Amino acid sequence: MAKNTVPEGNYEQKVQTKYDRKMEARKVQKEKEKKQEKLTKVITIAIVAALVILIGGSVGYSIGRKSLALNGTYIEVGEYKVSQLEYDYYYQSTVNSYMMTYGSILPYMGLDTSIPYDQQMYTEEMTWKDMFDQMTAEQIKQTKAMLDDAKKNGFTYDAQAEYDSFLEGVTSAAESAGTSLSDYYKQAFGTYATKNNIESFVKDGIVAGAYYDQLLKDNAPKAEEIKTYYDEHVLDYDKVDYRSFIFTTGLDSEASEEDVKKAMEDNKAKADAMLKAYQEGGDFEALCVENATQEQKESYEDPETEYSLSEGRYRSGLTTVMADWLYDDARVEGDKAVLEDTENDRYYVVEFIKRYYDEADDEKISDTIATQRVSEYMTALVEKYQIIDTKGHLKYLTIDTQATEETESTEEDKASE
């Protein structure tokens, strides 16, 4: 199959963080103030004894904080009491997954991973930490809901093999990072995480994932449903084959309007001349070589490929100008044209070959329908799993409430006018 790497559209091509401990910092400060007051009043106590008390108090506080993180309630999800240990596991997993997915474009998204997430704005109201907290809470809700539903429907799954693979992956990652396994668990899954105390969370995720896959299978559409869906979304699934050559201005973004206009006029003349030569019997690939820049010539001259030929392209992968012309119902094989793309300051010489549906996409449509059905099922399922944050750890809940109140207030004001 021939390939075309000429850009015709605008494409975009485990992380550690400091957990927010503001609440704990306040507790530590209050504890210090109480101790200082006691030292001031009880002046007969020896300095050494006072130091012992301070050290003992510090150790006791540290132990108490760990015990609270492991056994206390950080937030509630439905009827479940979630500890800080469990929340941190889901939070870090969410962040790590996000970084792996969007790592290369994070700077363009406005995120600096060297700065605490609660010091960077995701929206006007939410910080990046707020956003990650929201994603984390939703993930916990979905996991709890799926596990309950799986149990209700008699679904069972042996997670051991996948859990063993998880352990191998963590060990390998720790070795690659040059750190101990225990330190890596803390870095990747939270301050209090160990191999043993997060095992149940990992296995819960594996079982929930397996149940989700089962739901997808159970909700797979029939052949006639796939056909109906295709008929309703023809433009999303039809493919096109065509030949094309692009004339660009070669100017940078700071070029003047006059320079761009002159370059576009020159390219229009070149594109018209190329189209005329092709209509008169010229070879398209040879004409591409003739009009190509020095850097492009090697690609067009390669005898192993037809570099101008694009096959099996979806509408979503094309510029608007190209897509509108190629997917016009009036198109017939052999149609040729010069297309102006003012948005990208370029001209195309293009020839339509064919438009068609690839039945291999039946599976893609099936997955889309099944995913939509399961998504609707899950939305209804998680409604009863409300987040209860009595200790104020999740700021995004307050933001959402404020936004709702402001919206309702605005609507009431409009109604009273």
Side-chain angles (χ1 to χ4, degrees):
M1 180 176 289
K3 61 181 180 179
N4 184 359
T5 57
V6 179
E8 295 176 348
N10 296 324
Y11 309 101
E12 289 183 335
Q13 298 276 280
K14 252 177 179 179
V15 177
Q16 304 175 40
T17 70
K18 288 186 176 180
Y19 185 76
D20 179 20
R21 301 188 183 282
K22 292 182 179 179
M23 297 300 293
E24 297 300 341
R26 292 173 184 169
K27 292 180 182 179
V28 173
Q29 184 59 36
K30 288 181 180 179
E31 187 70 18
K32 289 181 179 179
E33 290 174 356
K34 290 180 181 179
K35 291 173 182 176
Q36 183 59 47
E37 182 179 352
K38 183 176 182 179
L39 287 174
T40 302
K41 292 180 178 179
V42 189
I43 58 175
T44 58
I45 297 178
I47 295 178
V48 174
L51 289 174
V52 171
I53 292 174
L54 283 172
I55 295 172
S58 177
V59 172
Y61 181 81
S62 178
I63 294 174
R65 185 171 62 179
K66 180 177 181 180
S67 177
L68 183 63
L70 297 179
N71 305 305
T73 299
Y74 190 76
I75 63 169
E76 294 180 47
V77 179
E79 298 179 354
Y80 291 94
K81 297 184 184 299
V82 177
S83 67
Q84 183 181 340
L85 169 70
E86 183 174 6
Y87 185 85
D88 285 356
Y89 166 77
Y90 280 99
Y91 180 87
Q92 290 300 128
S93 297
T94 296
V95 172
N96 293 340
S97 177
Y98 194 90
M99 297 303 167
M100 291 176 66
T101 302
Y102 300 105
S104 62
I105 61 172
L106 287 177
Y108 301 100
M109 299 170 69
L111 179 62
D112 185 342
T113 56
S114 67
I115 300 175
Y117 300 141
D118 61 355
Q119 296 179 19
Q120 303 179 71
M121 300 307 296
Y122 178 70
T123 65
E124 290 185 1
E125 297 83 17
M126 295 177 65
T127 65
W128 276 87
K129 184 180 184 304
D130 295 330
M131 189 274 289
F132 287 135
D133 277 330
Q134 186 175 36
M135 292 176 64
T136 299
E138 289 302 313
Q139 183 60 46
I140 296 175
K141 285 170 60 176
Q142 291 183 23
T143 301
K144 300 296 185 186
M146 281 194 286
L147 290 174
D148 285 347
D149 200 53
K151 183 178 181 180
K152 174 184 174 181
N153 292 315
F155 176 85
T156 59
Y157 186 78
D158 186 354
Q160 192 59 48
E162 290 179 52
Y163 179 67
D164 290 341
S165 295
F166 166 82
L167 293 179
E168 292 176 4
V170 172
T171 300
S172 177
E175 292 175 352
S176 297
T179 187
S180 69
L181 194 57
S182 61
D183 284 345
Y184 188 81
Y185 268 94
K186 291 177 175 58
Q187 294 168 6
F189 305 113
T191 304
Y192 304 101
T194 67
K195 173 186 173 182
N196 293 332
N197 66 20
I198 70 167
E199 178 178 350
S200 63
F201 310 148
V202 177
K203 288 184 175 179
D204 280 351
I206 293 172
V207 174
Y211 183 59
Y212 181 82
D213 289 341
Q214 184 62 49
L215 288 176
L216 290 176
K217 292 178 182 178
D218 294 342
N219 285 275
K222 297 179 180 179
E224 55 268 27
E225 293 175 306
I226 294 175
K227 177 62 169 60
T228 299
Y229 188 90
Y230 163 70
D231 290 340
E232 295 172 350
H233 302 82
V234 170
L235 293 180
D236 293 329
Y237 291 97
D238 272 2
K239 296 179 179 180
V240 289
D241 295 348
Y242 61 94
R243 298 181 189 280
S244 65
F245 183 82
I246 306 174
F247 287 92
T248 61
T249 64
L251 300 174
D252 59 37
S253 60
E254 296 182 0
S256 67
E257 291 185 10
E258 290 186 3
D259 288 342
V260 172
K261 181 180 179 180
K262 177 62 169 58
M264 286 290 283
E265 290 174 350
D266 291 344
N267 283 340
K268 175 66 164 60
K270 293 176 183 177
D272 287 340
M274 179 177 174
L275 177 61
K276 181 179 179 181
Y278 185 45
Q279 290 172 328
E280 293 175 350
D283 179 78
F284 196 90
E285 208 71 18
L287 290 169
C288 288
V289 173
E290 182 180 323
N291 286 278
T293 63
Q294 195 60 42
E295 293 76 14
Q296 295 173 326
K297 287 185 184 296
E298 183 177 351
S299 296
Y300 286 107
E301 290 173 339
D302 187 347
E304 299 297 321
T305 66
E306 291 183 80
Y307 195 67
S308 66
L309 177 63
S310 294
E311 296 179 303
R313 296 290 295 275
Y314 291 104
R315 181 186 179 93
S316 60
L318 303 170
T319 60
T320 301
V321 171
M322 288 282 282
D324 289 347
W325 189 82
L326 289 168
Y327 280 83
D328 190 319
D329 289 336
R331 287 283 76 74
V332 296
E333 183 177 356
D335 279 356
K336 306 172 182 64
V338 168
L339 306 179
E340 180 183 21
D341 185 349
T342 55
E343 183 178 349
N344 297 297
D345 296 329
R346 59 178 60 171
Y347 277 95
Y348 306 97
V349 177
V350 58
E351 177 185 20
F352 178 81
I353 299 177
K354 64 178 178 178
R355 170 179 160 183
Y356 55 96
Y357 175 70
D358 185 348
E359 291 186 355
D361 280 341
D362 281 357
E363 183 176 352
K364 183 182 294 185
I365 292 177
S366 177
D367 290 343
T368 297
I369 295 174
T371 299
Q372 290 176 348
R373 290 174 176 174
V374 174
S375 178
E376 292 171 1
Y377 179 76
M378 288 300 303
T379 297
L381 198 62
V382 301
E383 284 183 351
K384 64 180 181 180
Y385 292 81
Q386 298 300 311
I387 301 294
I388 301 175
D389 179 34
T390 58
K391 298 180 181 179
H393 295 300
L394 306 181
K395 181 183 174 185
Y396 83 87
L397 292 173
T398 304
I399 296 172
D400 285 351
T401 300
Q402 291 175 342
T404 301
E405 291 174 348
E406 290 174 2
T407 300
E408 292 176 348
S409 176
T410 300
E411 291 176 350
E412 291 175 357
D413 290 343
K414 289 181 179 180
S416 64
E417 290 178 354

